[in-house]
Structures are given as C-alpha cells and as structure tokens.
Amino acid sequence: MAASTGELVCVTGGSGYIGSWLVRLLLDRGYTVNATVKDLSYASHHPTPCTKQVYANVDDEKETKHLEALEGAESRLRLFQIDLLDYDSIVAAVTGASGVFHLASPCIVDQVHDPEKELLAPALKGTNNVLTAAKNLGIKRVVVTSSVSSIVPSPNWPADVPKNEDCWTDVEYCKQKELWYPLSKTLAEKAAWDFAKEKGLDVVVVNPGTVMGCTEIYEDFFMGSVHVKDVALAHILVYENTSATGRHLCVEAISHYGDLAAKVAELYPEYNIPRLAKDTQPGLLRSKAASKKLMELGLEFIPVDQIIRDSVESLKSKGFIS
Ligand SMILES: NC(=O)c1ccc[n+]([C@@H]2O[C@H](COP(=O)([O-])OP(=O)(O)OC[C@H]3O[C@@H](n4cnc5c(N)ncnc54)[C@H](OP(=O)(O)O)[C@@H]3O)[C@@H](O)[C@H]2O)c1
C-alpha cells in the first residue's frame, strides 16, 4: 500500500463514527487532512461510544477534541465547519486537496418526522454540492460512502442469486414502506454516479454493511457486519488503487441475524442472549466472500468474533452494559 507524503485530502463528516477512524488512518499514513464537522464549537452530534473510547479517552464536550488529540493532528489536521446544504462552506474545505472522502450524511434510521429536511436534502444536495466543489477544484478522485442500504431492500432481486454490487435498493419500495434512510443513501449514490458520468469526475464508492467494532445501535435487519477499522481502511484502498472502480460492498460476511445472536451467545454466555430462528431473514443467502472486490485490493477483514468482542467491550467500557 502506498504511503503518502503529506498529500492533502478532505474528509467530510470527519468527526463521525467512521470519519474519525478514517482521519486517524490517513494521518497515520502521512496524509494532511481537511476534516469537516457540522459545528466546530460543540458536540452537536452525539459522541459515539467508539470515538470516545478509541481516541483519547477524553470526556470532551467538543466533538473535535478526539480528532485534535490524534498523532500528527497538530501539524497535519485542519478542521472546517460545513453545512452540506451550503456550497460555499464546502469549497473552503476542499480547496487545495487532491482527493475527497465524502462521508457526511445524516444517519437517522427511525423517528424521522420530516424525511425531506432531515435526510433526503442533506444526503442528495450535500452529495451534489461536494461533487460540484470537487469538479470545480480539480479533485483527482472522490470516494463516496454509500451503504449496504443502497443494495437492499431489493425485493425483486432473483432469490437464488447472492446480492452484490449489481443490486440496487428498490426506491419505490422504500417510499411505500417509508424507509427514509435507505432511500436517502440510494438516491445520493445514484446522484453521485450520474454526476460522475455527466461531468467526467472520478468517483468510487464504498458500501459498508452494519458498522460495528465499537458499536452503536443497529437494526434488526442484518445483512453483514464489518469492523469500523476495516471500513476506514476500505476508503483508503479504493482511493489509493487507481484500478478500483465502481461500488465496493464492504462486509466481513453476510449472515442471518440469528447467526450473529448465536455467536454473541457463544462468546458471552454470561449474557442472556435470546435464541433466534436459524433463518431470521427469509431469502437472505449467507456469503463469506461478498466483498471480494475489496479483498482483491488487499483488505483482510477482521473476523466477526473480533467485531463482536470489540463491540461488547466498547459498550461495557462506556457503561451501556455491565
Ligand atoms: N454506521 C453505519 O453502520 C454505516 C453503514 C453504512 C454506511 N454508513 C455511512 O457512513 C457515513 C458516515 O456514517 P457514520 O456511521 O460515521 O455516522 P455519524 O457518526 O453520524 O457521522 C455522520 C457525519 O455526517 C455529518 N453530517 C450530517 N449531516 C450534516 C450536515 N447537514 N452538514 C454537515 N455535516 C453533516 C455529521 O456531522 P456532526 O457529527 O457534526 O453531526 C457526522 O460527522 C454516512 O454516509 C453513513 O450513511 C454508515
């Protein structure tokens, strides 16, 4: 893997769960990073158990404190306040960079009251604003963080074919079922591909599964778990390898929620983990090599046992479970 020598890149959503890890890995590799946050003064975003545990063990009020404590941050990290709906604020963060990692997007999966305002506008308009800034400023490559939520739900996909990067979430199904987060991710990713084609911008996409390791809350529907460190690394691999093109499913394995529950019960017998049916998602095909595109780029996924251990230990250390 190529090590960088001070190359400047921009990370939108740099204070987020995945963004924080990505900033850390980029600094470790010698990059200079312009990281964006929504509010430079306070923790407008909920600090995740992960960001707080992994970085500096600081009990901060300011959401950027864990970033500022990173090795190399003093000389190679600059923070920018952006609003995804405000093009000019994005331009400032992208200026001078050679690459952009676009992660910032609202991650709200329930209790959405105004889908357009809370999810769809920032996801879509934000993506268009970031890509427009990248194009206007001559950025060489943009890595867009999409999601497995742009791949499923896809009820019309052939039942006997494992879902892969060719599969797209059914937009009409999402609207009918009011699945606003998958809708926001799907429309944003489609907009990114349209933009890339029309304007000739080099775009590559990572589609992470349910990101864990140091965990947040996740939905019942389970397609594939992935360690947050691997998601961050996947972004760098697709950025640095010019041969990487298209979408990149980023999951350790695709398994049923019942499989995961059984594994947690095995690793942590002291907890009362309910036994679930073997096939909790009728029709979901198990797969061990769903992310072969990333594996071919050299990503060796952290196995699910370790993902679970890191998630549970993180939750314990933060007092969410005892
Ligand atoms: N976590 C997962 O399981 C998962 C799985 C697949 C894909 N993803 C995708 O990965 C990306 C990062 O997610 P995450 O898990 O790291 O979530 P996160 O911790 O909530 O980070 C989201 C980031 O986006 C920023 N943001 C949101 N709305 C914004 C706005 N209007 N203007 C400026 N910044 C805004 C947030 O800023 P503040 O912190 O200042 O609010 C935050 O830094 C997202 O695109 C998400 O859809 C996540």
Side-chain angles (χ1 to χ4, degrees):
M1 271 173 269
S4 160
T5 49
E7 177 182 337
L8 175 63
V9 292
C10 170
V11 177
T12 72
S15 58
Y17 179 37
I18 301 170
S20 298
W21 272 102
L22 178 58
V23 170
R24 175 177 173 163
L25 258 57
L26 286 165
L27 289 174
D28 286 351
R29 286 175 171 239
Y31 284 92
T32 299
V33 181
N34 284 356
T36 80
V37 300
K38 208 159 75 181
D39 187 340
L40 266 179
S41 8
Y42 289 106
S44 60
H45 176 64
H46 53 94
T48 67
C50 180
T51 48
K52 286 193 137 193
Q53 182 215 358
V54 172
Y55 290 99
N57 285 325
V58 283
D59 198 12
D60 54 307
E61 292 299 317
K62 223 172 135 192
E63 67 171 324
T64 52
K65 201 166 173 185
H66 66 285
L67 295 176
E68 287 161 1
L70 291 173
E71 205 173 322
E74 205 180 337
S75 55
R76 287 183 287 113
L77 176 67
R78 286 192 303 164
L79 300 170
F80 291 78
Q81 182 165 312
I82 66 156
D83 175 354
L84 284 170
L85 302 181
D86 175 7
Y87 174 77
D88 290 338
S89 70
I90 295 166
V91 166
V94 173
T95 298
S98 46
V100 172
F101 297 87
H102 177 43
L103 284 77
S105 199
C107 293
I108 314 165
V109 290
D110 55 11
Q111 295 189 337
V112 178
H113 306 293
D114 184 343
E116 179 59 33
K117 191 169 160 212
E118 292 170 49
L119 276 163
L120 301 174
L124 257 128
K125 208 168 172 216
T127 298
N128 267 315
N129 279 338
V130 169
L131 296 184
T132 303
K135 177 68 189 167
N136 290 344
L137 293 163
I139 294 300
K140 76 172 184 207
R141 173 162 270 208
V142 182
V143 179
V144 173
T145 314
S146 185
S147 173
V148 84
S149 298
S150 304
I151 292 175
V152 290
S154 39
N156 296 322
W157 184 258
D160 55 343
V161 181
K163 287 168 182 160
N164 58 27
E165 286 95 346
D166 293 331
C167 180
W168 278 92
T169 286
D170 186 327
V171 165
E172 290 311 315
Y173 179 85
C174 287
K175 287 180 187 164
Q176 270 168 26
K177 302 276 180 189
E178 302 190 344
L179 300 171
W180 305 119
Y181 176 72
L183 183 64
S184 76
K185 296 305 290 179
T186 307
L187 295 178
E189 192 192 329
K190 281 181 186 274
W193 287 123
D194 288 346
F195 187 102
K197 201 170 158 201
E198 282 164 26
K199 310 276 194 249
L201 182 68
D202 183 6
V203 168
V204 64
V205 168
V206 178
N207 301 80
T210 304
V211 182
M212 301 198 286
C214 314
T215 198
E216 294 188 319
I217 296 161
Y218 41 87
E219 299 164 85
D220 281 20
F221 184 84
F222 188 81
M223 185 179 175
S225 58
V226 59
H227 202 292
V228 65
K229 292 184 198 174
D230 285 341
V231 178
L233 182 56
H235 282 72
I236 298 178
L237 288 174
V238 300
Y239 177 68
E240 290 181 345
N241 284 280
T242 45
S243 62
T245 55
R247 314 174 88 192
H248 295 79
L249 189 51
C250 183
V251 294
E252 190 272 336
I254 292 176
S255 50
H256 280 242
Y257 196 69
D259 297 338
L260 183 78
K263 184 53 84 177
V264 178
E266 180 194 319
L267 294 173
Y268 288 93
E270 63 271 35
Y271 294 124
N272 188 17
I273 307 295
R275 282 188 189 281
L276 303 180
K278 191 170 161 45
D279 290 337
T280 40
Q281 288 100 341
L284 182 70
L285 301 176
R286 294 170 172 83
S287 172
K288 257 283 166 202
S291 299
K292 48 180 180 298
K293 281 179 81 177
L294 286 170
M295 290 166 161
E296 280 162 16
L297 292 176
L299 189 46
E300 290 173 24
F301 282 91
I302 296 169
V304 73
D305 290 30
Q306 193 58 43
I307 297 173
I308 292 169
R309 282 185 207 284
D310 285 358
S311 303
V312 172
E313 295 311 319
S314 173
L315 289 170
K316 274 189 190 168
S317 76
K318 289 288 135 198
F320 289 104
I321 53 175
S322 51

